[in-house]
Amino acid sequence: MNPDFSPSLAASKFASELRFEDIPGPVVDFVKKDLLDWIGCAIGGSASPASQPIKAVSEMLGGNKQSEIIGMESNNVVQAASCNAYFGHILEMDDVDKDSISHPATVVMPASLAVASWNGSNGKSVLTSITAGFEVMLRIGATITPNHYKVFHTTSTTGIFGAAIAAGKILELEEKKLTWALGNAGTLSSGLWQFLQDGAMSKFLHTAHAAGNGVYVALLAKEGFSGSNHILEGTQGFFEGYARQEVTDEKFRDFFKVWRTGNVSFKPYPCCRHTHSAIDAALDLREKLKGRKLSSIKLFSYSTAQQVAGKRSPKNSREAKFSTAYCVASSILRGTPSEKDFSNESVSEQKVRELENLIEIVVDEDLNKVVPVNWPHRIEAVTEDGEKLTSQVWSPKGDPENGLSWEDVETKFRTLTDGYITTKTQDKVIEICKNFESQENVAELFEEINLSFQTSY
């Protein structure tokens, strides 16, 4: 790494200088689409029983009623960012960036929106701050991928940087104070994958921590609380402690030239993104089977997918969402996955268990070579009448190469929120997001949602 160039200072300089007019039109359009997508995920998540722990603790702790929380009373700005971030990750339907292997929306957007609804910022300011947060977070994540991801949950460890930048941008922090916020974000960065081995709920806490503490360090910087000027590249900094691989500064030299925000993927299925190309392949195989049974089935996968989503014989909903084999079996038998296919009852269904047990998973070095540019899977199967079938998917549905249209995202939003908010509210939220740059006060968005919100438990 060049000692005369500072990625940390480059990031804070970019964020301080960024103006709405600098952002390319397609990137603005993507952020608005992703905003609608995340809101749908957060509404559905807030209605889930899994949201209860943070709701109970947030209500117990209390706080100034500064910012809106989906499905709850308003609370202080840090609690609001934390709760909304937690909700947005529950259903495993939020966006994902391939290069950094992270979910930027559910950490950056709640931080920006919490501060904006508190201080009355408008839609243009929010879109600008979200873009700033995405661009910084995704560069940090891509620089340390893939080795960091083997132990650390990148959404959490790098998400706090994105949240701090987004919140700081809404607070109109100058470059020096944005650098301080970035420095203290790095000091608080955390998030380990160990919870996966127990099927625990820590993933939601990761996003809550990243968004809430991102806001917290930005508020501290506003009040003059200093932080490291070189948190990323310093000899005792983030890259040194967390990267687990050699890093370069090249990704921090193309701010304003390369826009990573527009290359983030949408998730059409409610499970780990690493399962999605396998699901697409399974759905293709389902069409080719025409109701016939299989005598053998091999799933060719890549190492990261099996590290994160390699669970076999899942016992509950959480484990099933991180089981590529279960997702393939369920998709072959039931078709396109929905949330009901991950209920505990669906997971324990005998026919699915039998097919899941039949699947042999092989980590394919040729597939490994194209990760993270592609997250591919291949299925090779033989029917009971002896026909050999193959299905290969390089780019799962929702990737930039195979993207979702506004109509697709609207349909997903309605599916995620059906029964929780009224059709009239759905229409209003879609309209607000489509024209978000014209929104004068973003607090109205949450007020609109909460007026009709109904929980499912």
Side-chain angles (χ1 to χ4, degrees):
M1 188 170 291
N2 187 339
D4 297 324
F5 178 80
S6 168
S8 305
L9 297 179
S12 56
K13 185 175 188 293
F14 162 75
S16 69
E17 293 178 352
L18 182 66
R19 300 292 176 263
F20 179 77
E21 292 73 23
D22 298 326
I23 307 171
V27 176
V28 172
D29 189 66
F30 172 84
V31 174
K32 293 190 293 183
K33 198 189 299 182
D34 201 12
L35 178 60
L36 177 64
D37 187 73
W38 173 77
I39 291 169
C41 294
I43 291 172
S46 181
S48 164
S51 69
Q52 191 278 330
I54 198 170
K55 286 181 175 178
V57 171
S58 182
E59 289 170 353
M60 178 186 69
L61 294 175
N64 294 329
K65 295 185 180 301
Q66 296 169 331
S67 297
E68 300 286 336
I69 303 175
I70 293 173
M72 290 179 62
E73 292 290 324
S74 57
N75 206 320
N76 71 68
V77 67
V78 172
Q79 287 284 355
S82 296
C83 289
N84 286 329
Y86 178 114
F87 299 156
H89 209 42
I90 289 175
L91 300 183
E92 291 290 343
M93 289 289 279
D94 47 317
D95 68 357
V96 62
D97 175 64
K98 290 186 294 183
D99 285 350
S100 62
I101 320 183
S102 67
H103 306 271
T106 203
V107 283
V108 174
M109 290 183 178
S112 174
L113 290 164
V115 179
S117 64
W118 171 47
N119 71 4
S121 294
N122 61 28
K124 280 187 178 180
S125 296
V126 170
L127 293 172
T128 306
S129 77
I130 289 170
T131 304
F134 270 45
E135 293 296 324
V136 171
M137 173 185 173
L138 299 181
R139 279 172 170 78
I140 296 170
T143 297
I144 56 178
T145 299
N147 286 353
H148 175 85
Y149 190 75
K150 293 175 182 177
V151 174
F152 297 103
H153 183 198
T154 319
T155 301
S156 183
T157 55
T158 69
I160 191 171
F161 291 107
I165 288 292
K169 187 69 175 172
I170 289 289
L171 291 168
E172 299 182 342
L173 299 187
E174 61 182 327
E175 184 179 335
K176 179 174 71 173
K177 290 188 175 181
L178 281 171
T179 303
W180 290 350
L182 205 67
N184 287 314
T187 282
L188 296 180
S189 171
S190 64
L192 296 166
W193 279 120
Q194 184 65 27
F195 75 90
L196 279 176
Q197 298 186 28
D198 306 293
M201 298 172 73
S202 306
K203 206 163 187 268
F204 314 147
L205 177 62
H206 288 176
T207 55
H209 168 90
N213 280 307
V215 172
Y216 188 57
V217 296
L219 291 169
L220 284 170
K222 186 175 188 296
E223 297 302 321
F225 189 86
S226 63
S228 169
N229 290 325
H230 300 284
I231 192 62
L232 296 176
E233 70 278 5
T235 56
Q236 294 176 300
F238 183 79
F239 291 154
E240 184 66 27
Y242 285 65
R244 307 180 77 244
Q245 65 186 44
E246 291 295 319
V247 299
T248 68
D249 57 29
E250 62 178 326
K251 293 179 175 62
F252 297 88
R253 293 177 178 269
D254 59 8
F255 282 117
F256 290 106
K257 297 175 184 175
V258 173
W259 298 89
R260 291 178 173 269
T261 302
N263 285 322
V264 174
S265 302
F266 291 106
K267 292 175 68 173
Y269 314 125
C271 46
C272 178
R273 181 61 174 174
H274 290 294
T275 69
H276 284 209
S277 61
I279 290 170
D280 288 338
L283 293 173
D284 179 62
L285 185 71
R286 174 182 166 88
E287 290 294 315
K288 294 173 179 176
L289 278 172
K290 296 180 171 42
R292 292 173 294 173
K293 292 185 178 181
L294 292 169
S295 62
S296 69
I297 178 169
K298 276 188 179 181
L299 175 68
F300 293 85
S301 185
Y302 54 97
S303 297
T304 304
Q306 292 313 300
Q307 171 204 330
V308 177
K311 188 73 177 179
R312 296 305 303 254
S313 303
K315 300 179 181 63
N316 54 47
S317 174
R318 286 296 302 158
E319 291 186 357
K321 286 175 182 264
F322 291 89
S323 171
T324 314
Y326 172 81
C327 290
V328 166
S330 178
S331 299
I332 290 172
L333 292 173
R334 300 168 177 147
T336 302
S338 66
E339 189 63 29
K340 71 177 185 296
D341 296 313
F342 294 93
S343 68
N344 290 338
E345 293 76 17
S346 295
V347 171
S348 61
E349 189 175 317
Q350 187 63 30
K351 286 194 300 183
V352 178
R353 284 191 176 277
E354 289 173 357
L355 183 55
E356 192 259 336
N357 289 332
L358 183 65
I359 297 170
E360 178 187 352
I361 296 182
V362 178
V363 173
D364 188 317
E365 287 306 315
D366 287 335
L367 299 186
N368 272 338
K369 289 175 184 176
V370 301
V371 178
V373 175
N374 300 98
W375 290 8
H377 278 94
R378 182 174 74 257
I379 296 177
E380 295 180 2
V382 179
T383 64
E384 284 191 336
D385 58 8
E387 184 179 0
K388 296 180 180 179
L389 302 174
T390 300
S391 182
Q392 171 77 64
V393 174
W394 294 99
S395 297
K397 186 176 181 181
D399 270 9
E401 306 87 346
N402 189 15
L404 300 188
S405 65
W406 262 108
E407 184 179 357
D408 292 330
V409 176
E410 289 173 33
T411 299
K412 177 183 170 183
F413 171 78
R414 292 183 188 280
T415 300
L416 287 170
T417 61
D418 191 38
Y420 305 139
I421 58 176
T422 64
T423 301
K424 181 180 178 182
T425 300
Q426 289 175 335
D427 293 342
K428 181 66 174 176
V429 172
I430 291 169
E431 187 65 21
I432 288 173
C433 289
K434 278 189 165 182
N435 300 283
F436 203 72
E437 65 269 42
S438 302
Q439 191 70 15
E440 290 300 319
N441 189 329
V442 301
E444 294 174 6
L445 173 64
F446 291 105
E447 291 165 1
E448 183 72 35
I449 292 167
N450 283 341
L451 280 173
S452 68
F453 188 85
Q454 298 291 320
T455 63
S456 64
Y457 66 96

